[in-house]
Amino acid sequence: MHDTKYVFVTGGVTSSLGKGIIAASLAKLLQERGYSVTIQKLDPYINIDPGTLNPYEHGECYVTDDGAETDLDLGHYERFLNIPTSQANNVTTGKIYQSVINKERKGEFLGKTVQVIPHITDEIKRRIQILGETGDYDIVITEIGGTVGDIESLPYVESVRQLLWEKGPENAIVIHLTLVPYLAAAGELKTKPTQHSVKMLMQSGVSPDILVCRTEHEISEDIKRKLALFCNVKKEDVIQSIDAETIYDVPNLMFEEGLDKVVLEKLQLCSKKQPDLLVWNDFIQKHKNPTSEVEIGLIGKYVELHDSYKSITEAFIHAGSSNETKVTVRWIHSENLTPKNVEKKLEGLNGILVAPGFGDRGIEGKIKAVKYARENNIPFLGICLGMQMAVIEFSRNVLGMSDAFSTEMKKNCKNPVINLMESQKDVTEKGGTMRLGAWDCKVAKNSKTYDAYQSEQISERHRHRYEFNNEYLEAIENAGMKATGINPKTGLVEVVEFANHPWFVGVQYHPEYKSTVLNPHPLFVDFIKAALKQFKK
Ligand code: GLN
């Protein structure tokens, strides 16, 4: 068995301090120092997973290869580490309780009262250690969602306390991420909130080994000394995390502050090699010094909350850097697109992306955006629902089937060019029942998709219930829209394209989930390349 070491990341003072980015940056540095590392997120809410959550509540739902619907932080982990995450990387209170209650019903605790301690905490501990025991990782970083002091976080903090005790200080440590606010009126950084939050953590029996302090201003040596004194840590273990221009700067900033070094020391590990961030820094260099700029319209119905499209906007950053191009997103609410204003709202765009989504809100706006892209030769990428809308738009406006639609929006429509998948017909429960995770796709050689991937065999992640209705395939292909990607086993259409358009690709899958700093997604790279060509014209 692998001797895995555990790093816990807790948060104090407020939420939204960027625990996920700190965890991912540390993991990146440890990976660069020669260790195999993964990151796990524990979410204290009671939903089994965010799959049933409205994006307005929770931002994007991120999907793994093995079909887990997860927190968007897992996207950051993959983008930073360039290794896939899995079901085990995201645990929620709902999942913990579900397995304990299932065991109780099976009679596995027969005779015993089932309690938060030890039964819930045992299950949390088991979930934390699964990755270490089965995944061949040297280090597992576990991010505890929420803020220390929240009622719902208590069982997690208690589980961390037990694991620290069981594993010993050289095998398990705690990083506490807090805020050191700046009071403009006093002209001072304040340490009190951090002191309180550490006290709160200590009341649960957990003493932080390292403090990472989020700040808008440089933290002086004096303040570090003060924090160390009040929070039971050494001064060297107080790490400043100053606001960064981009999240991708954070690994460098943490390296300069020595976060990875103190973590290795505490875990009694040596550095196997010096971190080599050459490729990473080349990416940042190009991202920050673009030689050109394109504007892409992102058409969606959750655009008020940009986090709803996190992986898409990050994929733009990766693809932009790879093209040395700044990608500016024009956020366009699909509900606000009307036949009257579509020209005006989309005018001047170098590319149009119609986003994934569910239900009929804003659907006609999406169809109008597709039409505009098709007729005006604007590079187009349609993702999942965006691809389905491309098929509907083409069927209505080119094939003349004015009633073409998806049965998701109109159950008994006469021309259901998008239809519920056969495998979904008996599904009644909403949670975790879509077609999820990685599926193979065979790409036609003579296509934009092949040009991008340079491969006929690809595998991409999915999250949908509806599909291209193959009864219409022949008619649609004869009219000029080609199915250039097909699932080899089921015949399901995965990609549609036009040959006579500068760049028009609709994909049933979600390429955005697989774009990373080291591997920008080929479709996004070529989409931006096409947008750049359009711009130069
Ligand atoms: N609502 C569509 C379906 O279920 C598309 C889903 C999506 O865009 N992820 O097929």
Side-chain angles (χ1 to χ4, degrees):
M1 206 180 78
H2 218 78
D3 268 337
T4 304
K5 310 251 181 186
Y6 293 87
V7 177
F8 299 102
V9 182
T10 57
V13 184
T14 81
S15 56
S16 305
L17 290 182
K19 275 195 300 265
I21 300 299
I22 293 293
S25 302
L26 171 63
K28 174 78 198 160
L29 293 171
L30 296 173
Q31 190 187 49
E32 286 296 331
R33 286 191 185 268
Y35 289 96
S36 65
V37 190
T38 190
I39 319 175
Q40 176 187 47
K41 171 102 192 257
L42 306 182
D43 275 312
Y45 55 71
I46 298 173
N47 303 65
I48 299 291
D49 58 45
T52 53
L53 284 174
N54 187 319
Y56 287 136
E57 291 268 320
H58 192 267
E60 164 188 284
C61 171
Y62 185 79
V63 179
T64 61
D65 274 338
D66 65 351
E69 295 178 283
T70 74
D71 187 78
L72 57 75
D73 269 343
L74 272 78
H76 290 308
Y77 306 161
E78 290 204 13
R79 289 186 279 273
F80 275 55
L81 295 185
N82 207 35
I83 55 166
T85 52
S86 68
Q87 297 274 357
N89 290 73
N90 194 192
V91 175
T92 66
T93 296
K95 278 189 185 151
I96 300 283
Y97 272 79
Q98 192 180 47
S99 34
V100 172
I101 291 170
N102 286 346
K103 275 191 197 162
E104 188 275 338
R105 291 290 82 184
K106 280 193 197 141
E108 288 186 26
F109 306 112
L110 219 49
K112 289 267 181 259
T113 308
V114 181
Q115 296 181 296
V116 174
I117 304 171
H119 302 102
I120 294 298
T121 47
D122 278 354
E123 181 60 19
I124 295 175
K125 280 154 63 184
R126 188 181 74 80
R127 299 274 186 152
I128 290 173
Q129 293 171 99
I130 284 178
L131 284 165
E133 282 160 9
T134 59
D136 228 15
Y137 295 109
D138 302 316
I139 302 167
V140 174
I141 300 180
T142 298
E143 178 193 344
I144 320 281
T147 308
V148 164
D150 295 348
I151 291 178
E152 50 187 19
S153 305
L154 278 175
Y156 292 97
V157 178
E158 167 59 16
S159 306
V160 169
R161 185 193 68 76
Q162 293 178 20
L163 277 175
L164 291 171
W165 174 247
E166 287 165 21
K167 301 218 170 271
E170 70 286 8
N171 293 314
I173 59 167
V174 175
I175 297 176
H176 190 54
L177 179 67
T178 73
L179 176 71
V180 177
Y182 179 75
L183 285 195
E188 264 186 308
L189 286 169
K190 293 308 220 182
T191 64
K192 194 73 86 190
T194 298
Q195 294 179 38
H196 280 300
S197 134
V198 170
K199 252 187 207 144
M200 186 89 77
L201 194 56
M202 283 176 166
Q203 276 169 13
S204 303
V206 174
S207 211
D209 297 280
I210 297 167
L211 285 183
V212 175
C213 301
R214 293 283 294 107
T215 176
E216 289 170 3
H217 297 268
E218 292 282 336
I219 295 181
S220 67
E221 292 300 299
D222 259 0
I223 293 205
K224 282 192 178 174
R225 220 170 280 125
K226 192 168 171 189
L227 282 165
L229 179 69
F230 281 105
C231 301
N232 269 15
V233 295
K234 284 200 236 130
K235 191 175 133 269
E236 306 76 72
D237 301 337
V238 179
I239 304 287
Q240 157 182 292
S241 167
I242 201 156
D243 284 0
E245 193 183 321
T246 139
I247 55 170
Y248 297 108
D249 280 336
V250 181
N252 282 307
L253 292 172
M254 289 301 101
F255 176 67
E256 283 160 26
E257 288 289 319
L259 175 63
D260 52 328
K261 230 172 109 225
V262 288
V263 166
L264 287 182
E265 271 164 26
K266 292 199 185 287
L267 295 175
Q268 297 182 9
L269 294 170
C270 57
S271 180
K272 295 186 187 172
K273 59 183 178 80
Q274 272 303 308
D276 163 14
L277 290 169
L278 276 180
V279 185
W280 186 273
N281 288 337
D282 181 55
F283 153 79
I284 295 179
Q285 165 72 13
K286 287 188 184 140
H287 168 54
K288 288 189 178 173
N289 302 290
T291 52
S292 33
E293 181 172 353
V294 295
E295 191 179 15
I296 306 292
L298 195 158
I299 325 293
K301 67 169 174 174
Y302 303 108
V303 292
E304 302 92 326
L305 183 71
H306 295 181
D307 268 3
S308 307
Y309 303 104
K310 193 77 203 163
S311 293
I312 292 176
T313 50
E314 295 305 311
F316 279 149
I317 292 176
H318 308 152
S321 163
S322 133
N323 281 292
E324 295 182 46
T325 297
K326 177 170 183 215
V327 180
T328 302
V329 174
R330 190 189 297 174
W331 298 91
I332 299 166
H333 205 302
S334 52
E335 270 186 306
N336 301 341
L337 277 183
T338 62
K340 265 198 182 148
N341 69 14
V342 65
E343 295 262 340
K344 201 160 163 259
K345 290 226 177 222
L346 305 186
E347 199 185 336
L349 288 173
N350 310 117
I352 290 176
L353 186 146
V354 176
F358 296 84
D360 59 5
R361 186 164 68 93
I363 217 71
E364 292 302 328
K366 287 189 170 175
I367 295 173
K368 283 186 190 76
V370 177
K371 181 167 187 273
Y372 182 89
R374 180 176 60 77
E375 290 180 344
N376 294 285
N377 286 328
I378 311 289
F380 170 88
L381 179 57
I383 299 181
C384 207
L385 186 68
M387 170 267 200
Q388 297 175 354
M389 291 311 114
V391 174
I392 291 169
E393 190 280 321
F394 186 71
S395 307
R396 285 185 187 178
N397 299 327
V398 179
L399 279 153
M401 293 189 278
S402 57
D403 49 6
F405 219 172
S406 161
T407 51
E408 178 178 6
M409 286 80 200
K410 193 170 176 204
K411 231 188 170 110
N412 302 314
C413 68
K414 252 183 49 215
N415 283 300
V417 290
I418 304 294
N419 206 359
L420 189 65
M421 274 182 282
E422 205 45 51
S423 55
Q424 288 284 326
K425 293 206 165 132
D426 297 322
V427 172
T428 50
E429 290 204 359
K430 288 267 182 279
T433 55
M434 280 187 247
R435 178 177 184 248
L436 290 166
W439 294 85
D440 289 337
C441 169
K442 185 156 192 289
V443 177
K445 262 208 142 159
N446 200 355
S447 65
K448 306 244 170 27
T449 309
Y450 180 85
D451 292 345
Y453 287 92
Q454 291 293 306
S455 169
E456 283 177 272
Q457 312 290 342
I458 60 167
S459 165
E460 291 281 2
R461 299 181 193 172
H462 296 70
R463 183 173 187 248
H464 64 122
R465 296 186 201 280
Y466 295 81
E467 64 175 335
F468 186 111
N469 184 347
N470 274 330
E471 281 178 27
Y472 293 89
L473 180 60
E474 207 185 317
I476 288 177
E477 287 214 304
N478 286 341
M481 178 182 258
K482 303 286 177 206
T484 55
I486 305 277
N487 178 295
K489 285 209 182 91
T490 61
L492 187 142
V493 174
E494 297 276 10
V495 190
V496 294
E497 286 187 26
F498 294 126
N500 61 352
H501 185 286
W503 207 90
F504 188 109
V505 177
V507 287
Q508 183 57 75
Y509 51 80
H510 291 261
E512 71 275 22
Y513 294 143
K514 281 180 65 169
S515 187
T516 71
V517 168
L518 298 192
N519 282 315
H521 195 284
L523 275 185
F524 275 86
V525 172
D526 275 21
F527 176 47
I528 298 303
K529 204 177 279 164
L532 201 53
K533 254 196 205 152
Q534 202 276 348
F535 171 79
K536 286 183 176 152
K537 250 202 225 155

